[in-house]
């Protein structure tokens, strides 16, 4: 499968629902951009820039990864995650919280990290990186702020830029932070979208973070195979049934896996 066939396949999958999708995919052969600069509700995708800023602050010795955090009952929130459901398990290191925030999208963990590094600092990072559509205005599961009109936003192009920062050597984070972030993303447990068709014994490495709300389904991933890499963001909203959105993203994921593993010399 070549780049043109990949884009044609994606456009076929979303042809009847294209307005629901924002897609940005970067490959060695070029980019695919569909409604890529349209701000959408970020859901848990915004935990990626939170993670990047947390590691930036660790590098600056603003806090320590091994510091223990004692979680009182009133700090816990619902939605995704396990902290809220565990009995008498209320002490975690900041590194644990960063891991839980990503691999099972734990909202309590994310709020504790966001409170530590400060929401404004994540927004400053986004602006510095020219991710103009990314804005965090509320904590996770803060329904009062949400009802008052405060929402978290990003775009497929912005999110792909965050993936590129994680995937490439650069000045935003050092190599030690990059390797730790990639390890966390590789342990993702919510694999029902872009990773859905990835075989257990696959040689494709996939590092990703998904997000969802009522009517919203997203996934952002770095795929690596041999010397090839793809950075892909698929955001979608407006679903009456979230399962339909998940299936479309899974089908796009299958195309990405087929694309990165295909031997182009034979085509």
């Amino acid at each position: 499968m070549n780049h043109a066939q990949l884009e044609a396949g994606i456009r076929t999958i979303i042809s009847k629902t294209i307005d629901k999708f924002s897609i940005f995919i970067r490959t060695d052969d070029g980019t695919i951009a569909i409604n890529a600069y349209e701000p959408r509700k970020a859901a848990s995708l915004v935990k990626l820039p939170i993670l990047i800023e947390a590691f930036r602050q660790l590098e600056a010795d603003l806090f320590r990864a091994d510091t223990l955090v004692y979680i009182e009952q009133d700090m816990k929130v619902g939605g995704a995650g396990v902290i809220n459901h565990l009995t008498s398990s209320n002490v975690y290191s900041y590194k644990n919280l960063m891991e839980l925030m990503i691999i099972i999208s734990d909202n309590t963990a994310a709020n504790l990290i966001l409170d530590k590094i400060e929401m404004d600092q994540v927004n400053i990072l986004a602006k510095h990186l020219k991710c103009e559509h990314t804005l965090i205005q509320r904590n996770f599961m803060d329904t009062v702020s949400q009802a008052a009109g405060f929402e978290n936003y990003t775009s497929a192009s912005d999110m792909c830029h965050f993936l590129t920062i994680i995937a490439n050597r650069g000045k935003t984070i050092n190599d030690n932070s990059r390797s730790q972030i990639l390890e966390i993303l590789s342990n993702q447990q919510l694999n029902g979208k872009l990773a859905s068709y990835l075989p257990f014994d696959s040689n494709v490495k996939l590092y990703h973070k998904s997000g969802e709300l009522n009517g919203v389904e997203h996934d952002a991933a770095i795929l690596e195979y041999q010397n090839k890499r793809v950075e892909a963001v698929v955001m979608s909203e407006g679903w009456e049934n979230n399962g339909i959105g998940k299936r479309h993203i899974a089908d796009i994921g299958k195309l990405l896996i087929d694309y990165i593993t295909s031997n182009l010399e034979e085509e």
Side-chain angles (χ1 to χ4, degrees):
M1 179 188 292
N2 61 33
H3 188 268
Q5 291 169 327
L6 173 63
E7 180 165 1
I10 291 170
R11 289 186 177 276
T12 297
I13 290 168
I14 67 171
S15 60
K16 294 180 180 179
T17 53
I18 192 167
D19 290 342
K20 297 183 188 297
F21 281 91
S22 291
I23 296 173
F24 197 95
I25 297 170
R26 182 179 285 114
T27 77
D28 295 336
D29 303 312
T31 61
I32 299 170
I34 302 169
N35 302 325
Y37 305 95
E38 180 179 335
R40 293 189 184 272
K41 292 178 181 179
S44 285
L45 284 193
V46 82
K47 292 169 185 173
L48 271 182
I50 292 172
L51 186 66
I52 293 170
E53 177 58 22
F55 271 94
R56 278 168 46 85
Q57 293 192 20
L58 287 174
E59 290 175 18
D61 292 325
L62 296 180
F63 70 103
R64 290 174 54 95
D66 59 359
T67 297
L68 295 179
V69 181
Y70 294 82
I71 304 175
E72 305 295 341
Q73 192 63 36
D74 61 0
M75 297 177 182
K76 298 179 180 180
V77 297
V82 298
I83 292 176
N84 189 44
H85 303 289
L86 296 179
T87 303
S88 301
S89 182
N90 299 317
V91 183
Y92 303 86
S93 69
Y94 278 117
K95 180 67 179 294
N96 292 156
L97 294 175
M98 288 188 283
E99 292 164 339
L100 289 167
M101 173 179 75
I102 298 299
I103 67 173
I104 53 170
S105 206
D106 195 290
N107 288 322
T108 298
N111 282 345
L112 290 165
I113 295 297
L114 190 57
D115 289 346
K116 183 62 179 177
I117 66 175
E118 298 184 357
M119 189 181 299
D120 287 347
Q121 293 305 310
V122 185
N123 289 330
I124 289 168
L125 172 67
K127 189 169 291 188
H128 172 73
L129 295 172
K130 295 183 169 54
C131 293
E132 305 290 347
H133 306 124
T134 300
L135 179 65
I136 305 179
Q137 300 186 96
R138 64 170 179 82
N139 278 20
F140 297 94
M141 302 304 293
D142 182 353
T143 54
V144 175
S145 294
Q146 194 173 29
F150 293 96
E151 190 52 85
N152 301 329
Y153 294 100
T154 191
S155 65
S157 61
D158 280 6
M159 199 51 56
C160 195
H161 188 52
F162 291 124
L163 290 178
T164 300
I165 286 166
I166 294 168
N168 292 284
R169 287 186 168 184
K171 296 179 180 178
T172 305
I173 50 175
N174 64 32
D175 284 353
N176 181 44
S177 294
R178 285 182 60 251
S179 64
Q180 290 187 66
I181 290 172
L182 287 168
E183 182 178 4
I184 292 171
L185 291 172
S186 73
N187 291 325
Q188 177 61 247
Q189 300 297 295
L190 305 176
N191 294 314
K193 285 176 259 190
L194 288 177
S196 186
Y197 286 97
L198 190 68
F200 284 112
D201 59 351
S202 176
N203 290 321
V204 176
K205 295 180 180 178
L206 197 150
Y207 314 90
H208 73 114
K209 179 73 192 80
S210 63
E212 62 185 62
L213 295 166
N214 185 26
V216 173
E217 290 291 345
H218 304 325
D219 209 353
I222 301 165
L223 298 90
E224 293 180 347
Y225 179 72
Q226 296 179 354
N227 62 343
K228 293 190 284 187
R229 186 172 71 219
V230 172
E231 293 142 23
V233 180
V234 182
M235 302 180 67
S236 67
E237 63 184 24
W239 302 108
E240 291 185 15
N241 183 326
N242 276 49
I244 298 171
K246 285 181 180 178
R247 284 200 295 274
H248 284 330
I249 297 175
D251 289 342
I252 292 171
K254 185 176 188 304
L255 289 179
L256 291 169
I257 293 163
D258 290 346
Y259 167 78
I260 201 171
T261 56
S262 62
N263 187 342
L264 300 179
E265 293 179 0
E266 297 178 356
E267 295 180 357

